[in-house]
Amino acid sequence: MQAFSYVSARTLSEAADILAREGDQAKCLSGGTDLIVFLREGRRSAKVVVDVKGIPELNQLSYSPKEGLTIGAAVPLHRIYDDAQVNEHYPGLIDAATLIGGIAIQGRATLGGNVCTASPAGDSIPILIAYETTCIVASRSVTKAIPLEKFFVGPGRTALQPGELLVALKLPPPTPNSGAAYLRFTPRNEMDIAVASAGVVVVLDEDKMRFVGARIALGAVAPTPLFVPEAGAALAGQPVSDEAIEAAAQAAQAAARPITDMRGSAEQRKHLSYVMTKRALLKAIERARGGA
Amino acid sequence: MSNKVPVTATINDEEKSFLCEPRQSLLEVLRDVLNLTGAKEGCNNGNCGACAVIMNGVLVNSCLVLGVEANGATITTIEGITPKEGLHPLQQKFLEDAALQCGICTPGFIVAAKALLDKNPSPTEHEVRYWLAGNLCRCTGYDKIVRAVLDAAAIMRAEKQTA
Ligand SMILES: Cc1cc2nc3c(=O)[nH]c(=O)nc-3n(C[C@H](O)[C@H](O)[C@H](O)COP(=O)(O)OP(=O)(O)OC[C@H]3O[C@@H](n4cnc5c(N)ncnc54)[C@H](O)[C@@H]3O)c2cc1C
Ligand code: FES
Ligand code: FES
């Protein structure tokens, strides 16, 4: 592997100073399950690797009914799926966190890293978009909030500017009568990359017979994770019915702009956008109605 | 210009200090600096689990950890799971149940299984298979491995009851 120096940052300002000074030759290290592979393969270069796991703001994991969920960018997946509050209030996030890699990957990998790698197939991203996640970004001089669906500008490219790092992801508190689910299609159950995936959050009315609204996002079917507002709009105000679900799944399929690669053809991915959306919606509705 | 940095970690219950370059993985440090060659390099990219170790109570692939990240950490390798005398029940059952052929994947499987049984002493077969999905074996097939883990778990539960 190429030579670099290593700093374990203890504060946000220490990390931000190094990023400001070294520009793109400084790389943040969270769980390293992408970065170490990228550096070893020469797909990224670094003069200095800044370990951000020791920064308190990046390690917080807190939930309150008023504020919702705050997940520090460096919190590993195993902490997320072992957390009782996340299990209770954000089951769709558990779907994604337990799918990424295997147990040893989940011991290190973070949502912050998954989001910053910005793979179109990043498994946490569609469901985080559906949950209306905001990215808290900081540099030496500013802190700002970016809606996650605006965070991706191309395959592997984010809206982060030189000198900026991701501090945390903020999810609003779940709306009453809501449900969520993330599903991906892979040839193998574990340790594989999505051919196509869907993350959905539905909000039902009090009787749980009608959709109040929904947010739907797709993975691996466009150059970036894809938010499909029109698929959610197809459900708003509609009765919970096969027709409404069909219309939303059709809208998702119409929005998908996939490519053909070794994992699947564009045609298959188009079709999967429809199937994954439909199945994720059924699961989310079941959860909104009190099922597991 | 040597940019080696000093690192201190508790490895298999012993405090160790060593020098390493930031670009060296924990796997390289264990094998080449500390002479702990139990952890194996299969893929060097996180896919096979042959390099698994337990770091601060969490199962990780040491090929995807930098040696410098081990500073201040507590690490258990396959060498630390092996008792002073005899074998760990997992090791014993892997032998008795013929859960290995070439053996290169075995340290990783045993470390991963140990981490599972530390957390869940009575896993179902499904839980064992799910937990071990990050470990690849090219020769034995997984049935014997899963059976060995379930058998070892039963022995460990029985030992605990009589202890
Ligand atoms: C065997 C294996 C299986 C995998 N399976 C899956 C899978 O099923 N699904 C999936 O989506 N991914 C998978 N991955 C990819 C990877 O594990 C995930 O993307 C993971 O979430 C990355 O998190 P990390 O903390 O390890 O990131 P790191 O490797 O630490 O960082 C990833 C990138 O983000 C940057 N970065 C990290 N933190 C910050 C920050 N705070 N601010 C700014 N930039 C930052 C880094 O510089 C780097 O470029 C797999 C990887 C491996 C090796
Ligand atoms: S050598 Fe580390 S996972 Fe294969
Ligand atoms: S025994 Fe040979 S790889 Fe598992």
Side-chain angles (χ1 to χ4, degrees):
Chain A
M1 209 182 335
Q2 57 192 290
F4 48 78
S5 61
Y6 169 87
V7 180
S8 172
R10 294 286 130 192
T11 64
L12 202 49
S13 61
E14 185 187 356
D17 281 347
I18 300 170
L19 295 179
R21 198 172 59 232
E22 304 290 344
D24 75 344
Q25 279 309 297
K27 294 284 188 305
C28 292
L29 171 73
S30 201
T33 61
D34 279 323
L35 184 66
I36 294 175
V37 176
F38 293 161
L39 291 172
R40 189 172 282 147
E41 291 175 354
R43 283 157 67 192
R44 294 270 204 301
S45 68
K47 232 168 75 186
V48 49
V49 166
V50 187
D51 191 338
V52 296
K53 288 190 289 295
I55 303 173
E57 291 88 335
L58 276 76
N59 266 309
Q60 50 183 331
L61 180 62
S62 66
Y63 170 78
S64 83
K66 223 176 109 220
E67 298 290 323
L69 182 65
T70 302
I71 308 171
V75 175
L77 298 174
H78 76 94
R79 261 183 75 196
I80 295 170
Y81 61 65
D82 282 345
D83 185 277
Q85 304 271 25
V86 182
N87 275 280
E88 184 177 345
H89 302 292
Y90 302 92
L93 196 52
I94 303 290
D95 292 344
T98 51
L99 270 180
I100 295 176
I103 302 292
I105 296 293
Q106 293 154 11
R108 295 261 295 166
T110 64
L111 294 183
N114 199 239
V115 163
C116 289
T117 291
S119 160
D123 276 308
S124 74
I125 302 170
I127 191 67
L128 285 170
I129 291 176
Y131 275 125
E132 230 176 323
T133 298
T134 305
C135 303
I136 307 300
V137 168
S139 70
R140 211 158 53 156
S141 45
V142 290
T143 299
K144 60 187 180 191
I146 305 175
L148 184 59
E149 64 260 30
K150 302 234 163 76
F151 193 71
F152 306 101
V153 298
R157 288 177 37 234
T158 69
L160 285 177
Q161 299 298 311
E164 291 180 346
L165 78 163
L166 180 67
V167 177
L169 300 165
K170 273 186 174 290
L171 286 67
T175 315
N177 307 317
S178 65
Y182 175 72
L183 281 180
R184 72 174 182 188
F185 179 82
T186 54
R188 191 179 169 222
N189 277 344
E190 286 94 17
M191 302 288 288
D192 208 341
I193 296 175
V195 181
S197 68
V200 313
V201 173
V202 299
V203 182
L204 306 185
D205 67 0
E206 242 171 78
D207 301 332
K208 301 185 177 171
M209 296 306 286
R210 209 169 258 286
F211 292 104
V212 174
R215 284 174 65 90
I216 297 173
L218 304 174
V221 296
T224 63
L226 190 65
F227 179 43
V228 191
E230 60 274 27
L235 295 175
Q238 298 298 312
V240 178
S241 62
D242 290 350
E243 293 72 35
I245 293 166
E246 179 70 24
Q250 299 268 6
Q253 173 164 6
R257 313 174 251 126
I259 55 165
T260 294
D261 66 12
M262 60 186 259
R263 289 184 201 283
S265 68
E267 194 188 353
Q268 182 196 18
R269 287 192 154 109
K270 250 335 217 182
H271 177 63
L272 284 170
S273 305
Y274 166 86
V275 176
M276 292 294 110
T277 301
K278 200 165 171 174
R279 290 185 190 163
L281 280 170
L282 291 171
K283 180 97 213 166
I285 293 163
E286 190 187 322
R287 283 179 173 157
R289 288 176 165 169
Chain B
M1 187 192 86
S2 162
N3 65 346
K4 287 198 175 172
V5 287
V7 174
T8 302
T10 305
I11 298 178
N12 300 332
D13 291 329
E14 251 180 80
E15 189 171 293
K16 298 263 188 197
S17 292
F18 54 86
L19 288 171
C20 79
E21 284 186 64
R23 67 171 163 182
Q24 283 182 294
S25 69
L26 176 59
L27 177 62
E28 287 170 65
V29 168
L30 290 171
R31 293 181 57 85
D32 302 343
V33 181
L34 299 171
N35 224 7
L36 292 166
T37 55
K40 301 291 183 242
E41 180 182 314
C43 64
N44 214 22
N45 61 21
N47 274 285
C48 76
C51 65
V53 302
I54 300 172
M55 183 168 169
N56 298 328
V58 178
L59 182 71
V60 301
N61 290 328
S62 62
C63 70
L64 292 188
V65 177
L66 299 178
V68 285
E69 287 184 80
N71 198 26
T74 300
I75 290 163
T76 305
T77 68
I78 183 68
E79 287 88 348
I81 290 173
T82 312
K84 289 254 163 355
E85 273 168 43
L87 294 173
H88 186 277
L90 278 164
Q91 295 171 313
Q92 190 64 43
K93 282 296 159 192
F94 266 65
L95 280 178
E96 286 173 12
D97 294 351
L100 68 150
Q101 287 186 23
C102 80
I104 194 146
C105 67
T106 312
F109 269 103
I110 289 179
V111 170
K114 168 78 166 54
L116 168 63
L117 300 183
D118 285 348
K119 195 172 154 159
N120 177 2
S122 11
T124 62
E125 177 181 337
H126 181 83
E127 285 168 334
V128 172
R129 285 185 187 274
Y130 179 79
W131 187 275
L132 297 179
N135 292 79
L136 299 184
C137 175
R138 299 281 82 170
C139 12
T140 307
Y142 299 97
D143 281 336
K144 289 181 173 171
I145 292 174
V146 171
R147 197 161 321 130
V149 173
L150 290 168
D151 288 351
I155 290 187
M156 287 163 71
R157 286 196 302 272
E159 279 176 358
K160 212 167 173 189
Q161 272 193 342
T162 54

